[in-house]
Amino acid sequence: MRHSISYSVAMVLAAVSHIPVHAEEIATDDDSRTIIVTGQSEGYVASNSVTATKTDTPLLDIPQSINVVTREQLEDQAHHSLSDVLRYVAGTTVGQGEGNRDQITLRGQNTTADFFLDGVRDDVQYYRGIYNIERVEILKGPYALIFGRGGGGGIVNRVQKSPKTDIFYAGQASVNSFGAFDISADLNAPLNDAAAIRLNAVYENLDSHRDFVGGERYAWNPYVAFKLGDGWNLGVSYEYVYDDRTTDRGIPSVATVAGQPNAPLRGIRDQFFGIPGVNRTTLEAQIGKLRLDGQLAENLQFNGTMLYGDYDKIYDNVFANGPASGPNGTVALAAYSDPTQRTNFIAQGNLVWDIETGPLAHKILVGIEYGDQKSENRRTNGTLSNASFNLANPVFPTVVFNAPARNTVSDVTFFSAYVQDQISIGEHFDIVGGLRYDSFDIEGVDLFPVVDRPFARKDTKVSPRLGLIFKPVESVSIYSSFSQSFLPRSGDQFLSLSTTQENLAPEKFTNYEVGAKWDVRPNLNLTLALFQLDRSNATTPDPLNPLATINVGKTTTKGLELAVTGRITPTWQVHGGYSYQDATLAGNDLIRLGQVPKHQASLWNRYDFGGRFAAGVGIIHQSSQFAAIRTAANTTRLPAFTRVDAALYYDLSDTVEVQVNVENLFDTTYFSDAHNNNNISTGAPINGRFTIRAKF
């Protein structure tokens, strides 16, 4: 595996977003003007999205549930990871990800790959930073028409900070009560009247409440944008990320009352079940991107993207491999090492045509996308000097990684073509409809256990989307929608394809949704969605053999989502929501899907007292859930919890502000997430973070 910086970064052509007016006509809150426009927001409220339809469309006119977390809210809540952000988005469950990656569940569908950056696939398993992010968009329901394969329950899109025409220098530093600290900078400068550069950089120390758990991450992202004249804009971005941290798979479960599910083992919140110095994951990533967008004719826009990413990752894991025999008993351990290299090349181009046919106004999107993703992955199991951990007398074993379990190379190529029409019928009715054709081709070789066993499969799929919108008044939309997506049998990481899987059709996701959106005021909106998401041809990892899969048939998630965002009064901002999800194996309501709590609720409030003071308070509630994502192996239940957070803000001057955020204000004992029945994360105790932020 390579661990040196490769400076060859493929250049990227074209833009992710459609810009319907000249970029210099769009102003931000601080009156500086962006050259590459990716969305507009004020405070906690976002007014549009260039991701959900690949056209610049008001959120009110998109017939699907969307949550947006703006930069102002990211800073107010002192978020430092996607997990921090998503815990405050009802209907989104954060998973443990084996202590080495982002992993979430949306509408009952667990994923490590449904992440995007400015609308471009970002599917490698790692922890994504938000130091250079303007906002985070969570799009619910299948989105194959816009994003292609996967995305069965929805996707998460990060929107990059883009260069502006004004000069400014900003930075922040923070430290928390566990000893973790970070420092970051955001520098923007015009190069001339038609170009600007923006540089974001961060260094983070990752100390934790958990014994022996820590690490560091640093990254930088220069981004240059040019006005090319006649409404054309070009952006060139390069990001380097280095992440080195402890892999921590938490604590095991323990049996409770006979006949009832196991529960997390209590009283060992900080106990580490790996081997200090051995449990470690490192990532080195380089991502180059070019964006181009402009006007071909008065009513015809072009946008497109080319992205090249090089990712080099390894993680070593020693972890609890079974439940504890008792509060002072023993816990079985297991170990493995898993290195992965991947290169992604993705190109997409879109035409957006605004025309009228009689009384109908059309916004027609026609696009193509091509990708080539090459992966190399190995897994080597470890031999432990003692495969049993004694809780009464904890002694860490030693380990040797000497038992090969997997060695695979694969090459995925895909091609997509899609068309979408957004039709306005007078002032009160809109239709959004389209089709996407996907060709997904995987070829690879399993080098172990059978020498050079080739595998291959090609899938072609057509994915529809249809939405109907009724707007009784300008500020209200009532909608219904139907959408589908698919996931090839090689899974969301396409590392291998067994002989059995080669003969199975892709998994299919179908979403039915009705909802309403109300812009109570331009800076306050309410949304409601009722949905049913069916997953057919579903499989799950075999609990007796994690490298194999078993068929489980069809799963169904039925639910309701409510959200409120914006200013209740000029001094009171909120961002909150509630979700109810009933996720089961079809035909057997007693078998519930893992990591899908029936009830989730969150509410963040910021109140400005006038003068220089402000305060924030937030609450997260999550009902109980099964720990394992494997439908056939739900033997452990995580208890419900409620967590309260708070914050105080003070402006030292017009350019410098300080804030204190307190997480888990009442020191609640809770279990925040899990990977499976015996790898359960413990929620952090009460802790504070002090931040100082300046902008000149």
Side-chain angles (χ1 to χ4, degrees):
M1 303 294 286
R2 300 186 309 275
H3 291 284
S4 61
I5 301 175
S6 167
Y7 288 100
S8 62
V9 179
M11 286 297 112
V12 165
L13 176 53
V16 164
S17 61
H18 162 55
I19 303 177
V21 296
H22 293 296
E24 56 266 32
E25 295 174 356
I26 306 258
T28 60
D29 292 341
D30 60 4
D31 292 327
S32 61
R33 302 173 189 276
T34 57
I35 297 176
I36 302 294
V37 177
T38 53
Q40 297 145 291
S41 61
E42 179 183 350
Y44 292 177
V45 173
S47 58
N48 70 335
S49 172
V50 296
T51 305
T53 58
K54 287 191 185 295
T55 65
D56 189 355
T57 303
L59 294 176
L60 193 69
D61 297 336
I62 299 172
Q64 230 157 327
S65 182
I66 300 174
N67 302 102
V68 178
V69 182
T70 66
R71 186 70 210 176
E72 182 171 323
Q73 186 178 341
L74 294 176
E75 293 180 350
D76 280 357
Q77 294 186 268
H79 290 321
H80 279 67
S81 68
L82 270 185
S83 293
D84 292 342
V85 177
L86 297 177
R87 290 191 200 283
Y88 266 92
V89 178
T92 304
T93 310
V94 176
Q96 182 193 90
E98 298 181 277
N100 71 83
R101 62 179 181 261
D102 293 320
Q103 187 161 352
I104 59 173
T105 299
L106 289 166
R107 293 189 172 177
Q109 314 310 317
N110 188 272
T111 179
T112 68
D114 292 328
F115 301 96
F116 290 75
L117 177 65
D118 283 344
V120 183
R121 187 171 296 275
D122 177 33
D123 56 7
V124 177
Q125 294 182 337
Y126 72 109
Y127 287 115
R128 292 153 183 84
I130 58 174
Y131 74 102
N132 61 339
I133 298 304
E134 193 65 45
R135 66 183 189 174
V136 178
E137 302 173 332
I138 302 93
L139 285 64
K140 308 285 186 62
Y143 262 96
L145 174 63
I146 300 301
F147 301 106
R149 71 180 190 271
I155 67 101
V156 175
N157 180 59
R158 294 176 300 147
V159 177
Q160 259 184 293
K161 296 178 182 178
S162 57
K164 301 183 179 183
T165 56
D166 292 354
I167 187 170
F168 64 81
Y169 306 99
Q172 75 169 39
S174 75
V175 61
N176 75 7
S177 50
F178 302 135
F181 64 89
D182 66 272
I183 184 168
S184 61
D186 183 358
L187 314 176
N188 188 92
L191 300 175
N192 53 44
D193 291 340
I197 184 170
R198 189 165 187 176
L199 172 65
N200 281 271
V202 66
Y203 174 84
E204 295 180 78
N205 175 281
L206 304 169
D207 274 356
S208 164
H209 72 286
R210 298 270 294 158
D211 293 340
F212 308 107
V213 175
E216 66 175 358
R217 172 169 55 189
Y218 54 87
W220 61 83
N221 177 203
Y223 193 167
V224 185
F226 305 89
K227 297 178 184 177
L228 302 180
D230 297 326
W232 286 84
N233 301 296
L234 174 68
V236 183
S237 171
Y238 166 75
E239 183 179 17
Y240 175 80
V241 181
Y242 182 79
D243 194 314
D244 183 347
R245 68 177 71 201
T246 307
T247 51
D248 178 20
R249 289 176 63 162
I251 65 169
S253 66
V254 67
T256 56
V257 179
Q260 296 297 311
N262 288 2
L265 180 59
R266 293 179 178 269
I268 55 166
R269 184 192 63 197
D270 300 335
Q271 177 64 58
F272 187 53
F273 284 85
I275 300 176
V278 172
N279 281 56
R280 183 184 177 202
T281 179
T282 61
L283 167 84
E284 187 176 51
Q286 299 179 83
I287 305 165
K289 179 164 62 75
L290 288 182
R291 296 166 47 106
L292 177 69
D293 61 83
Q295 191 166 324
L296 295 170
E298 183 178 358
N299 61 345
L300 184 63
Q301 304 281 336
F302 169 82
N303 65 80
T305 252
M306 259 186 183
L307 178 145
Y308 178 84
D310 185 286
Y311 308 86
D312 189 357
K313 178 185 174 183
I314 184 170
Y315 65 97
D316 298 334
N317 243 325
V318 180
F319 57 96
N321 195 38
S325 61
N328 295 303
T330 59
V331 178
L333 299 179
Y336 64 88
S337 177
D338 193 299
T340 299
Q341 281 184 273
R342 180 172 298 164
T343 58
N344 284 353
F345 174 76
I346 300 172
Q348 59 180 238
N350 303 286
L351 292 173
V352 181
W353 188 19
D354 291 290
I355 62 168
E356 294 184 359
T357 57
L360 307 181
H362 302 260
K363 186 181 291 289
I364 299 174
L365 167 75
V366 178
I368 59 173
E369 184 173 34
Y370 170 82
D372 187 351
Q373 300 180 268
K374 293 180 170 62
S375 300
E376 300 177 17
N377 174 260
R378 299 191 306 275
R379 176 162 292 194
T380 304
N381 291 332
T383 301
L384 293 154
S385 61
N386 185 352
S388 182
F389 189 83
N390 191 325
L391 290 168
N393 182 27
V395 176
F396 296 111
T398 60
V399 64
V400 177
F401 297 104
N402 59 358
R406 181 173 65 220
N407 189 359
T408 303
V409 296
S410 65
D411 186 4
V412 165
T413 57
F414 61 89
F415 172 78
S416 307
Y418 44 91
V419 61
Q420 173 186 268
D421 194 359
Q422 297 170 255
I423 307 171
S424 295
I425 308 172
E427 297 181 357
H428 300 295
F429 292 95
D430 292 339
I431 300 174
V432 179
L435 294 171
R436 180 182 182 116
Y437 166 83
D438 278 289
S439 175
F440 178 90
D441 192 350
I442 181 170
E443 296 182 356
V445 179
D446 275 337
L447 304 174
F448 182 89
V450 178
V451 176
D452 293 354
R453 181 190 74 86
F455 59 84
R457 181 179 172 92
K458 183 172 184 177
D459 290 296
T460 57
K461 284 291 180 181
V462 174
S463 302
R465 176 184 188 180
L466 178 64
L468 307 177
I469 304 169
F470 171 58
K471 300 179 72 172
V473 295
E474 185 179 359
S475 60
V476 174
S477 68
I478 301 169
Y479 69 86
S480 62
S481 70
F482 165 83
S483 61
Q484 287 185 334
S485 188
F486 72 99
L487 181 66
R489 286 299 170 180
S490 48
D492 59 13
Q493 292 300 321
F494 44 87
L495 296 179
S496 187
L497 193 63
S498 70
T499 303
T500 300
Q501 291 170 328
E502 283 185 282
N503 297 315
L504 295 177
E507 295 184 72
K508 182 179 179 180
F509 306 87
T510 303
N511 188 72
Y512 307 91
E513 185 171 328
V514 295
K517 301 181 182 184
W518 179 23
D519 287 343
V520 183
R521 296 189 296 272
N523 59 2
L524 177 65
N525 58 56
L526 302 173
T527 64
L528 164 68
L530 298 169
F531 67 89
Q532 177 173 319
L533 194 156
D534 296 327
R535 179 178 186 174
S536 56
N537 301 328
T539 61
T540 189
D542 187 340
L544 301 178
N545 180 9
L547 298 180
T549 59
I550 57 177
N551 290 310
V552 297
K554 178 181 176 181
T555 68
T556 297
T557 305
K558 299 177 182 179
L560 172 149
E561 295 172 352
L562 294 167
V564 56
T565 306
R567 292 188 181 275
I568 304 297
T569 71
T571 56
W572 178 19
Q573 284 195 90
V574 300
H575 183 278
Y578 165 78
S579 71
Y580 168 83
Q581 296 183 95
D582 185 18
T584 61
L585 185 66
N588 191 339
D589 291 342
L590 298 178
I591 300 180
R592 297 193 53 78
L593 303 190
Q595 301 189 11
V596 188
K598 271 194 174 183
H599 303 278
Q600 284 180 284
S602 65
L603 181 64
W604 175 260
N605 304 263
R606 174 181 167 130
Y607 189 84
D608 292 275
F609 293 102
R612 298 181 181 274
F613 280 101
V617 63
I619 186 169
I620 300 169
H621 173 76
Q622 185 168 296
S623 64
S624 64
Q625 62 175 348
F626 282 109
I629 60 175
R630 299 172 180 174
T631 306
N634 278 323
T635 62
T636 298
R637 183 185 287 274
L638 305 186
F641 70 87
T642 301
R643 192 186 89 188
V644 176
D645 304 326
L648 291 174
Y649 312 95
Y650 180 69
D651 294 334
L652 295 176
S653 68
D654 292 339
T655 58
V656 180
E657 61 181 349
V658 295
Q659 69 186 65
V660 176
N661 292 77
V662 180
E663 180 184 303
N664 195 6
L665 182 65
F666 299 119
D667 202 21
T668 299
T669 297
Y670 69 103
F671 302 93
S672 56
D673 49 67
H675 177 64
N676 57 29
N677 291 312
N678 299 297
N679 296 155
I680 302 165
S681 299
T682 57
I686 182 173
N687 64 94
R689 179 178 289 274
F690 173 80
T691 303
I692 182 168
R693 187 178 296 113
K695 183 174 182 179
F696 303 95

